Amino acid sequence: MSRYLFVVPPLTGHINPAAAVARELTARGHRVAWAGRAATLAGLGAEVYDAGDPALDAALRDSHERRLGLRGAGALKFLWEEFIVPLARTSRPGVEAAADAFEPDVIVADQQALAGALVARRRGLTWVTSATTSGEFTDPYAAMPKVDDWIRERMAGLCRDAGVAETTDLRFSDDLVLAFTSAALLGSDREFPGHYAFVGPALTARPDHTGFPWSALDPGRRRVLVSLGTVNGDGGARFFDAVVRAAEPLDVQLIVAAPAGLLPDPPPYVLTRPHLPQLDLLSHVDAVVCHAGHNTVCEALAHGLPLVVAPIRDDQPVIAGQVTAAGAGVRVRFARCGPDELRTALVSVLSEPAYRVAAGRVRESFLAAGGAPAAADHLEKIS
Amino acid sequence: MTAPDSSQLLDHLRADLAEVMGDDVLLAVDITPDTRFDDDLALESIEFVALGEILRERYGDRVDFPGFIAGMELDEIMSLTVGRLLAYISDRLAESATV
């Protein structure tokens, strides 16, 4: 029996896969605890050590609207300067306290929760990276070497303050890197070191509190799920409007996750709710339109569903590239695609079998990768 | 061969951006040397790649857009303007004209 401390950012998409692994470890008789923002972790019903910071929460609330306007290099700068670095600084004392109290054998640190890596290194503990997106795996900054240097400088600063060797790449453990994807989706020619484990998505049933009207699903039409994650604002409104107009002549039903008020007075073929029971719904749709967030993409592909991807920022352009390279979907431009381009994309993924066949191949690769039990196997081996 | 003057270069770039982003961009944005790729045009990553291809087709290997970007700091990429790209193209064309 071993003791695993999971260190996570306050992001549901990063916590869900880790939680599936944690449940598997607990079922095998191991002890698991969490360090992170306590309010976000309360629903796990597990041992939680608070490493949150109200000032950081407030700053992120204040900057939320500004972030929604950022793309590309601006979004990257925001991610590191206003999220990853401050999160590492403000959460490190809480993670240290968690390590004192829980005495873990292994720290499992999310790739964006760098305090976990810092604390593990300070204490000489085994450190495992939990990568809930593969956006960092294919050298996305290769074409911008000074941007890569800039990221390494941010990490070196954190290492200096924590008394850890400055050359440590806090995004990638030397002991074990758990990546919730498969080589078939990653599609890289690069040979990864032996301590990289591609375990596929770790999906487990999530309780549905959305009150979704299941009887409103139209059995006579093909159905398409549309989700842009938590994005809203003008860009989201424009995109939703274009999707709705694209679908009008197609005899499909759209099930759209959109903030209340963004699609006022939707036409009869559009079913919209602020929150959808996405994982459950995927068994009832024929295709997915999304922003190429890693979790949504992997959940769709785990159901063998073809995608229309409209990446917005961060790792999403990389993930969208993986989807099209795998042959499992069509990429459109989030800011500029109109109804015609979206309609062509929708018709392609719904009517050309190659997309569904390719999505099925990725699904098979996920099944072979093993998910949460495979992740737990790797964690048992190194503890 | 005489190098195109700066207003010709701007016209060419307007046409190239319209090819990459769609003609609507010319209606939506008055593209001037001060126009920013990030804030004003919201150029997407695949559009950056496409623009590099088009510039190479137009000017040949002497205009190396990926190489131009590769030399930049993060803040320079964020604040890249049409004027900065035009200055680079102009420099490269002048350089190759004198060789």
Side-chain angles (χ1 to χ4, degrees):
Chain A
M1 184 182 130
S2 298
R3 303 167 74 84
Y4 299 91
L5 178 64
F6 283 73
V7 183
V8 288
L11 302 169
T12 315
H14 289 241
I15 294 167
N16 281 342
V21 177
R23 273 193 294 273
E24 178 71 22
L25 290 169
T26 306
R28 295 182 186 190
H30 301 291
R31 283 277 305 275
V32 169
W34 295 79
R37 184 173 175 273
T40 311
L41 296 168
L44 292 173
E47 188 172 343
V48 169
Y49 295 91
D50 189 15
D53 177 50
L56 179 60
D57 290 345
L60 289 170
R61 269 195 305 275
D62 289 346
S63 60
H64 181 68
E65 284 298 320
R66 181 164 50 86
R67 176 175 175 266
L68 293 179
L70 297 174
R71 320 281 299 268
L76 179 74
K77 184 170 180 171
F78 180 95
L79 179 67
W80 280 89
E81 278 194 340
E82 302 193 46
F83 182 63
I84 291 179
V85 169
L87 178 68
R89 287 193 198 286
T90 58
S91 66
R92 189 159 66 84
V95 177
E96 297 275 15
D100 282 337
F102 183 66
E103 297 183 345
D105 301 302
V106 175
I107 288 186
V108 183
D110 183 272
Q111 209 172 23
Q112 293 189 355
L114 304 184
L118 290 167
V119 170
R121 272 301 164 96
R122 279 168 58 81
R123 292 168 181 249
L125 287 170
T126 302
W127 147 43
V128 175
T129 296
S130 168
T132 58
T133 168
S134 58
E136 295 280 337
F137 283 68
T138 46
D139 209 0
Y141 319 114
M144 298 172 283
K146 291 185 178 177
V147 173
D148 193 52
D149 291 345
W150 182 87
I151 291 171
R152 289 176 190 280
E153 282 165 25
R154 307 272 98 53
M155 289 194 290
L158 289 172
C159 289
R160 251 190 322 272
D161 293 352
V164 168
E166 282 186 29
T167 51
T168 310
D169 187 339
L170 300 169
R171 298 166 299 180
F172 293 102
S173 159
D174 294 332
D175 297 318
L176 175 61
V177 176
L178 290 174
F180 295 95
T181 184
S182 68
L185 178 58
L186 194 62
S188 173
D189 295 333
R190 183 182 152 197
E191 285 287 318
F192 290 96
H195 67 283
Y196 281 50
F198 296 94
V199 298
L203 308 178
T204 49
R206 301 194 282 262
D208 175 15
H209 306 296
T210 61
F212 184 77
W214 289 96
S215 61
L217 288 181
D218 187 340
R221 294 179 183 202
R222 284 178 301 176
R223 295 176 289 270
V224 178
L225 189 145
V226 184
S227 167
L228 295 179
T230 51
V231 162
N232 50 47
D234 293 346
R238 194 210 69 83
F239 186 85
F240 284 126
D241 180 63
V243 177
V244 168
R245 285 158 58 195
E248 189 174 10
L250 294 185
D251 196 32
V252 297
Q253 183 181 31
L254 297 183
I255 300 108
V256 184
L262 210 59
L263 280 173
D265 203 13
Y269 60 93
V270 175
L271 180 56
T272 176
R273 291 286 183 279
H275 299 285
L276 295 174
Q278 181 167 301
L279 204 48
D280 294 333
L281 261 174
L282 289 171
S283 303
H284 303 272
V285 301
D286 300 280
V288 172
V289 178
C290 72
H291 60 314
H294 193 260
N295 285 310
T296 299
V297 163
C298 286
E299 288 174 8
L301 292 173
H303 289 76
L305 295 172
L307 292 137
V308 174
V309 283
I312 304 170
R313 66 176 71 79
D314 300 337
D315 60 328
Q316 294 157 13
V318 175
I319 306 304
Q322 293 177 4
V323 170
T324 56
V330 174
R331 177 176 180 164
V332 297
R333 294 171 302 170
F334 172 72
R336 268 180 283 286
C337 62
D340 292 344
E341 187 182 349
L342 272 165
R343 189 176 304 122
T344 305
L346 273 173
V347 168
S348 294
V349 300
L350 286 170
S351 63
E352 294 174 28
Y355 293 106
R356 181 169 290 275
V357 169
R361 272 199 301 273
V362 178
R363 176 174 187 269
E364 292 303 314
S365 77
F366 284 172
L367 290 171
D377 290 347
H378 285 288
L379 285 166
E380 284 181 327
K381 267 183 229 146
I382 61 141
S383 63
Chain B
M1 180 184 134
T2 51
D5 67 31
S6 59
S7 85
Q8 280 174 310
L9 286 178
L10 180 56
D11 285 344
H12 288 170
L13 189 57
R14 283 195 184 114
D16 294 341
L17 285 168
E19 189 171 341
V20 168
M21 302 168 69
D23 291 338
D24 292 355
V25 69
L26 299 181
L27 299 174
V29 185
D30 178 23
I31 297 174
T32 73
D34 294 330
T35 302
R36 286 171 57 141
F37 284 88
D38 208 343
D39 289 353
D40 300 326
L41 295 174
L43 207 70
E44 305 209 354
S45 57
I46 48 168
E47 292 172 331
F48 263 104
V49 175
L51 179 62
E53 288 293 315
I54 286 179
L55 292 175
R56 199 167 56 81
E57 278 169 30
R58 186 186 282 284
Y59 300 110
D61 289 337
R62 35 193 192 157
V63 172
D64 175 13
F65 187 62
F68 173 60
I69 298 289
M72 288 188 189
E73 303 281 352
L74 180 61
D75 284 330
E76 293 179 289
I77 296 173
M78 282 174 61
S79 58
L80 179 62
T81 61
V82 162
R84 172 95 201 272
L85 175 58
L86 290 175
Y88 165 75
I89 294 172
S90 178
D91 283 355
R92 297 296 297 148
L93 297 184
E95 213 168 287
S96 60
T98 58
V99 172

